[in-house]
Amino acid sequence: MHLLNLGILAHVDAGKTSLTERLLHSVGVIDEIGSVDAGSTHTDTLALERRRGITIKSAVVSFAVDDVTVNLIDTPGHPDFIAEVERVLGVLDGAVLVVSAVEGVQAQTRVLMRTLQRLRIPALIFVNKIDRRGARYEGVLDALAERLTPAVVPMGRAVGLGTREARFVPCAVAPDVLADQDDELLAAYVDGSLADDRVRAALVARTGQALAHPVYFGSAVTGAGVPELIAGIKELLPAADGDPEGPVSGSVFKVERGPAGEKVAYARMFSGTLRTRDRVPFGPGREEGRVTAVSVFDHGTDLRADAVPAGRIARLWGLGNIRIGDTIGEPRKRHGHFFSPPTLETVVVPGPGTDRGALHLALTQLAEQDPLIGLRHDEVRQELSVSLYGEVQKEVIEATLAEEFGLAVGFRETTPLCVERPLGTGAAAEFIKKDANPFLATVGLRVDPTPPGSGVTFGLEVELGAMPYAFFRAVEDTVRETLTQGLHGWQVADCAVTMTHSGYWPRQSHAHQGFDKSMSTTGADFRGLTPLVLAEALRRAGTRVYEPMHRFRLEAPADTLGALLPVLSAARAVPETTETRGALCVLEGVVPAARVHGLEQRLPGLTRGEAEWESAFEDYAPVAGREDVPERPRTDHNPLNRKEYLLNVTGRRG
């Protein structure tokens, strides 16, 4: 029996969870199909998911199709929970991308397909809701080819569109898309000698290489097209690989808390076999932990097991400090982030009777489950901030804190998460016992700008053997921590920091006495001095604040353009292209991320409810059109103010 780890992906409301329910019913895992509207689905287990009718957390359920065991992972469709999708993509062997036959290709559909192609994950496309009024066939196929990928291969036709009798009629695979990628196939196609079995073999091969995407039409509600989709999943998507006898290597894509508060890790094993009571290293620090229990997914539930082999997904107990994204056992190549980071931030305000300590603990646990939700603690103002993808996520956090932790909270206005980039090169240095340096350390640093997207790097222009390695590590760690707050309080991105000077006093002691701190350098000296030096280097380099920008596409009636343009201008949106298509007008351009939510709320009233808007993060751009540069309150000891910093760190004013 071979394994397949399958993801179900879609834009919100395309019918992804309903399709999951239909699949489970069709293969005999469940006797009754759950309803999203009624809150009775099997994969949306959170009370909040059932009440709101959206998927928030990924869920795993297993079923068998003949000799194939499928671990099916239902993922969120709403863009505010894209971080949950990101973690799942790294453990998939294949995917089904769900598209609505009524709405067609939407913003999230395009983002997901681009990512599937970038990661070379084989994917089938299921066009859902053919029974709904307004369902289309040719129009959706054209949109798939135009806006997703030209390598779409229709597996049949949809007939009876818009009625309960709508169904999917399979037909022979047209070889034209496949022949475009294979000269021998093209030659056989031209001379008329191309056999159906050869076309089918080519389809299996191209689909497995993520070079072709078979398209099925159907309805999760009526079951039309679902048997054909199941047959396609079995035939066209590749099985999970991995050597059960190899070194243990797995990846954690989800962490939850058990009834007793213990951590439970969801992991995909790529190599080896992990057994109960095994000790394994995990995470970047390679901490060791003992696996105390294992459960694997089988026939709609998870069952306790003694071991989990390569290719399978399991729940693991006993790894107390495990985090999402950690590698278990042998490290694997990391792909980095597939989607943009959160671009919004809000302050969490405790409600009446809410203890700040309990709130901090609860938010820390939520951040464990979603690492891209950054938690920021301002000790001076006693404030907690979280980073977000959107307003819906804020509402979900509020409801989760109330229902799971009994904490009432509110939020301040959502603000954009900006970044700072150096304008030029700046350098600074402080030497032991010179220039009122109270630390027994010498540190010199230079900051250089690097290309956008390159991140932060740390290098040395001093000999690595000039002082103990632990001191160099203390400097690098402190540099990275200090760069989370630049001259204006935002994270400093895209720069190279180089250590140009170093010095220390070796461990000393008086005769017949112990260690004398007043004569000997410790790591604390480097951790204390580095922020002062780096802040001065940044001050000399100068920084510019960049705000997150979304690329938007707006389709609206042409006669509403006069009302739309002033609103777009007021939101600092910049239309770059304008195209008229009959009675419709299509605008594409960029807009600050902070203005997207407000525009989405105003567009229906400006366009008689006929506007189609899609947007996604594209890049950061210098803050323009404002006299005041946005500032972010600092949460550290403020190395930009030497007296204040030294008073807080050493109790001296320098």
Side-chain angles (χ1 to χ4, degrees):
M1 177 177 284
H2 72 246
L3 296 164
L4 169 64
N5 296 299
L6 177 72
I8 305 288
L9 313 174
H11 185 99
V12 65
D13 289 335
K16 172 179 47 58
T17 300
S18 297
L19 176 61
T20 300
E21 292 289 310
R22 174 61 67 175
L23 287 171
L24 296 178
H25 181 266
S26 298
V27 297
V29 170
I30 58 177
D31 297 326
E32 184 177 346
I33 296 176
S35 166
V36 174
D37 294 335
S40 57
T41 57
H42 293 76
T43 53
D44 286 345
T45 55
L46 298 177
L48 189 58
E49 292 178 312
R50 294 176 181 271
R51 191 169 64 251
R52 294 187 65 105
I54 60 173
T55 301
I56 297 170
K57 296 293 183 183
S58 58
V60 183
V61 64
S62 180
F63 62 86
V65 181
D66 298 331
D67 63 339
V68 180
T69 295
V70 178
N71 287 323
L72 188 148
I73 308 176
D74 185 21
T75 63
H78 199 286
D80 281 13
F81 307 105
I82 196 68
E84 192 75 18
V85 181
E86 175 175 48
R87 295 189 286 272
V88 169
L89 288 175
V91 304
L92 297 182
D93 304 306
V96 173
L97 181 63
V98 185
V99 179
S100 168
V102 180
E103 288 82 12
V105 175
Q106 297 171 278
Q108 188 80 341
T109 321
R110 299 175 68 186
V111 171
L112 291 168
M113 178 54 90
R114 283 199 300 267
T115 308
L116 289 169
Q117 291 178 318
R118 190 183 312 130
L119 298 176
R120 304 300 294 271
I121 297 174
L124 311 181
I125 299 174
F126 184 77
V127 182
N128 191 25
K129 301 185 180 181
I130 63 171
D131 58 319
R132 296 284 185 88
R133 181 179 299 176
R136 298 166 295 145
Y137 175 76
E138 297 288 354
V140 173
L141 270 181
D142 291 343
L144 293 175
E146 178 185 346
R147 303 183 64 193
L148 290 187
T149 171
V152 293
V153 182
M155 302 298 289
R157 291 191 58 85
V159 297
L161 290 171
T163 69
R164 294 285 294 184
E165 288 70 41
R167 67 186 192 280
F168 179 67
V169 181
C171 63
V173 175
D176 48 352
V177 170
L178 303 172
D180 286 344
Q181 304 171 1
D182 188 324
D183 291 341
E184 292 184 6
L185 206 66
L186 178 60
Y189 181 37
V190 171
D191 65 24
S193 62
L194 188 58
D196 288 344
D197 58 347
R198 186 173 176 186
V199 174
R200 200 76 185 186
L203 177 64
V204 172
R206 299 293 184 277
T207 303
Q209 296 164 352
L211 297 175
H213 301 283
V215 181
Y216 298 83
F217 282 74
S219 168
V221 172
T222 67
V226 174
E228 290 80 6
L229 175 65
I230 293 174
I233 290 171
K234 177 189 174 185
E235 177 190 8
L236 301 175
L237 294 179
D241 56 5
D243 180 8
E245 304 301 322
V248 170
S249 180
S251 180
V252 176
F253 65 92
K254 178 178 177 178
V255 173
E256 63 183 17
R257 294 273 178 174
E262 75 280 14
K263 280 189 179 180
V264 183
Y266 287 67
R268 155 78 190 266
M269 298 305 299
F270 291 93
S271 172
T273 299
L274 184 63
R275 296 175 173 82
T276 306
R277 294 184 294 280
D278 278 356
R279 292 192 66 86
V280 288
F282 61 87
R286 312 311 292 153
E287 175 183 347
E288 274 206 356
R290 184 187 297 278
V291 177
T292 58
V294 171
S295 70
V296 296
F297 295 91
D298 193 22
H299 289 84
T301 185
D302 61 314
L303 305 171
R304 286 301 174 103
D306 295 326
V308 51
R312 297 208 73 149
I313 289 175
R315 301 171 76 208
L316 307 176
W317 283 260
L319 307 179
N321 294 322
I322 197 80
R323 291 179 59 86
I324 290 170
D326 281 354
T327 295
I328 296 174
E330 292 290 323
R332 299 181 63 251
K333 178 183 176 182
R334 300 181 67 88
H335 292 285
H337 291 313
F338 310 135
F339 301 106
S340 64
T343 57
L344 302 171
E345 184 178 54
T346 186
V347 174
V348 185
V349 181
T354 295
D355 179 70
R356 291 182 181 273
L359 177 58
H360 186 275
L361 180 62
L363 287 172
T364 299
Q365 290 193 15
L366 292 184
E368 284 178 356
Q369 299 170 22
D370 194 344
L372 292 183
I373 297 180
L375 179 61
R376 189 169 184 262
H377 185 206
D378 186 338
E379 295 183 3
V380 177
R381 296 166 187 80
Q382 290 296 298
E383 291 179 349
L384 290 165
S385 302
V386 291
S387 50
L388 305 165
Y389 281 98
E391 295 297 318
V392 172
Q393 192 177 14
K394 187 163 67 173
E395 296 169 14
V396 167
I397 290 174
E398 180 180 7
T400 302
L401 288 172
E403 294 177 7
E404 295 188 14
F405 299 94
L407 301 173
V409 300
F411 298 91
R412 292 198 192 144
E413 181 184 3
T414 302
T415 57
L417 264 176
C418 301
V419 298
E420 294 181 48
R421 288 177 177 147
L423 287 169
T425 296
E430 296 213 19
F431 300 88
I432 294 179
K433 292 303 181 183
K434 290 185 179 179
D435 302 322
N437 174 11
F439 301 101
L440 297 184
T442 292
V443 173
L445 298 170
R446 185 179 68 248
V447 176
D448 296 294
T450 56
S454 58
V456 173
T457 60
F458 180 81
L460 300 176
E461 280 186 0
V462 295
E463 292 289 338
L464 187 59
M467 62 182 188
Y469 174 74
F471 292 164
F472 285 115
R473 188 59 189 263
V475 173
E476 179 178 356
D477 290 346
T478 308
V479 161
R480 295 186 182 277
E481 182 181 349
T482 304
L483 287 178
T484 60
Q485 301 181 77
L487 301 183
H488 301 281
W490 304 104
Q491 175 126 10
V492 180
D494 306 323
C495 67
V497 179
T498 306
M499 190 170 185
T500 57
H501 299 79
S502 67
Y504 76 108
W505 281 1
R507 182 183 179 92
Q508 298 182 46
S509 61
H510 298 289
H512 309 297
Q513 295 182 19
F515 168 66
D516 187 349
K517 167 63 184 77
S518 66
M519 302 169 59
S520 310
T521 301
T522 67
D525 290 296
F526 285 97
R527 287 190 291 272
L529 182 59
T530 297
L532 284 174
V533 177
L534 182 57
E536 183 59 30
L538 276 176
R539 202 194 315 265
R540 295 176 182 179
T543 64
R544 174 176 291 167
V545 177
Y546 288 69
E547 64 180 332
M549 303 294 289
H550 277 219
R551 176 154 294 279
F552 73 85
R553 181 181 186 275
L554 172 60
E555 186 175 303
D559 62 354
T560 65
L561 197 58
L564 282 172
L565 289 177
V567 175
L568 291 173
S569 177
R572 295 194 288 124
V574 180
E576 296 174 347
T577 62
T578 305
E579 179 184 353
T580 302
R581 299 178 182 174
L584 292 177
C585 185
V586 180
L587 287 79
E588 294 190 11
V590 292
V591 60
R595 304 300 184 94
V596 169
H597 183 64
L599 280 174
E600 289 175 337
Q601 290 181 315
R602 294 198 62 184
L603 285 175
L606 295 169
T607 61
R608 303 185 296 273
E610 298 178 39
E612 290 188 13
W613 167 276
E614 63 179 62
S615 73
F617 171 81
E618 179 172 87
D619 203 352
Y620 291 91
V623 173
R626 294 176 55 174
E627 294 182 1
D628 59 320
V629 176
E631 302 276 342
R632 190 188 196 196
R634 302 191 71 90
T635 61
D636 58 7
H637 294 307
N638 192 15
L640 296 173
N641 184 323
R642 186 181 184 90
K643 287 185 177 180
E644 176 187 335
Y645 178 82
L646 291 178
L647 182 63
N648 285 319
V649 174
T650 68
R652 299 160 57 181
R653 285 197 173 274

